[in-house]
Amino acid sequence: MGGVKALTIDHLAMNDVMLESLRGEGQGLVCDLCSDREVEKRCQTCKANLCHFCCQAHRRQKKTTYHTMVDLKDLKGCSRIGKPILCPAHPAEELRLFCELCDRPVCRDCVVGEHREHPCDFTSNVIHKHGDSVRELLKGTQPHVQALEEALAQIKGTNSALQARVEAVANDVRSFSEGYIKAIEEHRDKLLQQLEDIRVQKENSLQLQKAQLEQLLEDMRTGVEFTEHLLTSGSDLEILITKGVVVERLTKLNKVEYSAHPGVTEKIAFSPKEKAGLCRGYEVYGAISTKEVDPAKCVLQGEDLYRAREKQTAFFTLLCKDAAGENMGKGGDNIQVAVVPKDKKDSPVKTMVHDNKDGTYCVSYTPKDPGVYTVWVCVKERHVQGSPFTVTVRKRHRSHPGVFHCCTFCSSGGQKTARCACGGTMPGGYLGCGHGHKGHPGRPHWSCCGKFTEKSECTWAGGQSAPRSLLRTVAL
């Protein structure tokens, strides 16, 4: 939010820059005191680079007389020559303390001022706790590097397989097109162009996934290498200063989601027997498809899936889909269906499978006896979703011999002797039911059994209450 000036200072990088300058015979380094002359020596006590004049003045002062002075050429083999890190708010004070409440290093003046009553301690006392937390976070980040490398290896392998498969299908297309006239040759060229588009599309998807994984891997490596370098080479204070940035970066990297598997497959199929329409007035065959039926995605539909009647044909539909859950849109798949009674497993029911040529298949069978049956539906010798399942076959549906009416007076044409299974009667010598009279159900019903549902099975079993000769009344 604060721009470049608000970024955390990388003191390790500053140390490396100074070392590189020393290895280059000190060119470019100026005195820390006068800022005019080139550096000749370094005060190890003050950690300051001094020119010849300032070095002599440094030795003449009582406070700095016994400081250790080293020539620049003697520092070329050192790994650290960093300057003392001063407080940005109090430039004369060195950062030696750490405020736990504010989670940042402070100086002595800060403790008695802005951070008064805050829990503060020396950096050497708190580095173990904060360093361990960063190390634990680093441990969780490192495994992702290997996982990303393996994912990229899979991407490369899939890409090679894709190239090989594309070339194989292209050869099939060329072989199929040989010997045909211009119409077939034109159709061949169209197929090859379609195949090239598929290859480009799949390859682009793989390249995009590869680029994303490579970028993520580079981010992971950078974060891991920087953190490892900080923990192994940084001082306590440097680790604490950079801790906030490192923790935030590693936390974000650990939350990044990625797929370790290729986003596309090399599956491309050529169907030479499939009709492809007209080309130059000739009917041509041959089509390229990337779809492949997935039995686990196929769906069974129909009212007769789990119930049927003896000696009546039951129907249900198989809808074939690919791995993405999309309809296949074409037929020709190897469908196997078996209907076997549980008590007579050696007597399967004959089944019929009709290919609708649009990815759906109509399955029909006629059970001979009531009971429980097991139905197996397989595509490419694999069970589809929901298979096997059981079907309860009931006795044959009994149709109504009577009429679905409101009263016997209307349906019989006014006959007084007409009766109804509902048990209703009318005054005036009428033996059957009538509107609003005794025993009338109050809604339409069957005259043979009294049921209120028009599409239902008749339960009439004969008897004195409803003579069969009077049940077949006339429907007006």
Side-chain angles (χ1 to χ4, degrees):
M1 296 296 294
V4 176
K5 293 182 179 179
L7 294 175
T8 301
I9 297 175
D10 186 354
H11 294 280
L12 289 176
M14 296 177 65
N15 178 75
D16 293 339
V17 170
M18 188 172 295
L19 283 175
E20 286 296 323
S21 299
L22 288 176
R23 295 188 181 100
E25 301 301 330
Q27 295 178 359
L29 289 180
V30 295
C31 179
D32 291 339
L33 295 182
C34 65
S35 302
D36 291 331
R37 304 176 184 86
E38 290 188 359
V39 175
E40 290 188 3
K41 294 182 180 293
R42 177 177 175 82
C43 178
Q44 293 291 72
T45 308
C46 299
K47 296 182 179 178
N49 299 322
L50 306 174
C51 65
H52 178 73
F53 179 80
C54 293
C55 180
Q56 291 178 343
H58 202 63
R59 286 175 173 172
R60 284 197 294 267
Q61 296 182 13
K62 291 183 179 181
K63 293 183 179 180
T64 59
T65 300
Y66 299 102
H67 285 195
T68 304
M69 307 297 290
V70 182
D71 290 337
L72 286 184
K73 60 182 180 180
D74 297 332
L75 294 173
K76 293 183 178 180
C78 298
S79 61
R80 291 201 51 77
I81 57 170
K83 298 181 180 180
I85 302 176
L86 303 178
C87 177
H90 308 95
E93 293 293 331
E94 188 175 348
L95 295 174
R96 297 179 180 274
L97 301 167
F98 186 78
C99 179
E100 294 285 356
L101 181 63
C102 301
D103 196 32
R104 63 186 180 90
V106 294
C107 68
R108 291 182 301 176
D109 290 350
C110 293
V111 172
V112 298
E114 179 185 354
H115 298 269
R116 181 178 296 176
E117 297 182 359
H118 288 191
C120 298
D121 200 350
F122 287 101
T123 55
S124 58
N125 296 335
V126 298
I127 183 60
H128 300 291
K129 178 178 68 173
H130 294 279
D132 290 343
S133 65
V134 176
R135 290 186 184 91
E136 287 298 321
L137 192 58
L138 178 62
K139 288 181 181 178
T141 309
Q142 289 170 331
H144 292 295
V145 175
Q146 182 179 359
L148 287 169
E149 290 173 345
E150 294 176 354
L152 286 171
Q154 290 187 9
I155 291 289
K156 294 178 181 177
T158 303
N159 190 34
S160 300
L162 175 63
Q163 299 289 348
R165 185 57 183 159
V166 167
E167 187 61 27
V169 175
N171 292 334
D172 291 343
V173 173
R174 294 187 185 95
S175 176
F176 175 76
S177 301
E178 289 178 359
Y180 279 81
I181 57 176
K182 293 182 179 180
I184 303 301
E185 292 175 347
E186 180 179 331
H187 179 55
R188 177 197 61 193
D189 295 336
K190 290 180 179 179
L191 288 175
L192 291 175
Q193 182 59 47
Q194 181 186 356
L195 179 62
E196 178 64 16
D197 294 340
I198 293 173
R199 184 191 68 81
V200 171
Q201 180 183 3
K202 286 180 173 286
E203 195 169 55
N204 288 343
S205 298
L206 288 173
Q207 292 298 331
L208 176 60
Q209 186 179 8
K210 176 185 175 183
Q212 291 172 342
L213 291 178
E214 285 178 339
Q215 181 61 53
L216 182 56
L217 176 59
E218 184 63 26
D219 293 343
M220 290 283 186
R221 282 175 173 169
T222 303
V224 170
E225 291 172 0
F226 179 84
T227 307
E228 288 176 340
H229 181 50
L230 175 65
L231 293 175
T232 56
S233 303
S235 65
D236 298 348
L237 185 56
E238 289 168 344
I239 293 175
L240 294 175
I241 289 175
T242 320
K243 180 184 77 74
V245 176
V246 171
V247 170
E248 180 183 0
R249 181 60 171 164
L250 294 182
T251 301
K252 287 183 179 180
L253 289 174
N254 287 338
K255 291 181 179 179
V256 175
E257 296 181 358
Y258 57 88
S259 175
H261 302 284
V264 297
T265 65
E266 74 278 9
K267 293 181 180 177
I268 306 175
F270 174 62
S271 305
K273 295 183 179 180
E274 185 174 345
K275 290 184 178 181
L278 297 177
C279 182
R280 293 179 176 267
Y282 294 90
E283 188 173 14
V284 293
Y285 292 81
I288 295 176
S289 173
T290 58
K291 286 187 175 183
E292 186 178 18
V293 64
D294 185 357
K297 299 289 185 178
C298 296
V299 179
L300 296 171
Q301 300 174 338
E303 296 181 356
D304 296 338
L305 272 177
Y306 304 104
R307 59 188 180 188
R309 297 277 183 175
E310 65 171 332
K311 299 178 182 177
Q312 291 184 0
T313 303
F315 300 90
F316 64 85
T317 302
L318 171 64
L319 178 59
C320 289
K321 298 185 177 184
D322 59 11
E326 297 181 356
N327 295 339
M328 291 297 296
K330 63 182 185 66
D333 294 307
N334 184 18
I335 311 297
Q336 304 98 27
V337 181
V339 181
V340 182
K342 281 196 172 182
D343 54 350
K344 297 179 181 178
K345 295 184 178 181
D346 56 343
S347 302
V349 179
K350 183 180 179 181
T351 59
M352 297 289 293
V353 179
H354 177 70
D355 188 354
N356 297 323
K357 306 297 183 181
D358 59 355
T360 63
Y361 300 83
C362 183
V363 182
S364 61
Y365 64 95
T366 305
K368 296 181 180 179
D369 303 306
V372 179
Y373 289 69
T374 302
V375 181
W376 301 59
V377 182
C378 298
V379 178
K380 295 182 178 180
E381 300 182 352
R382 289 173 55 195
H383 283 284
V384 301
Q385 186 180 169
S387 175
F389 60 93
T390 58
V391 176
T392 302
V393 177
R394 294 185 292 177
K395 291 185 177 180
R396 190 172 183 178
H397 185 84
R398 294 182 58 189
S399 59
H400 294 275
V403 293
F404 192 68
H405 65 171
C406 55
C407 69
T408 55
F409 181 85
C410 295
S411 59
S412 66
Q415 295 182 20
K416 290 188 175 183
T417 56
R419 297 176 180 271
C420 184
C422 71
T425 59
M426 295 173 57
Y430 289 92
L431 303 179
C433 58
H435 294 282
H437 296 290
K438 180 181 178 181
H440 185 263
R443 53 178 168 166
H445 57 283
W446 284 103
S447 62
C448 48
C449 60
K451 278 193 172 182
F452 304 130
T453 306
E454 185 174 4
K455 294 182 179 181
S456 61
E457 184 178 5
C458 184
T459 57
W460 175 78
Q464 299 297 326
S465 61
R468 189 171 179 82
S469 60
L470 298 178
L471 289 174
R472 295 176 182 173
T473 54
V474 180
L476 300 181

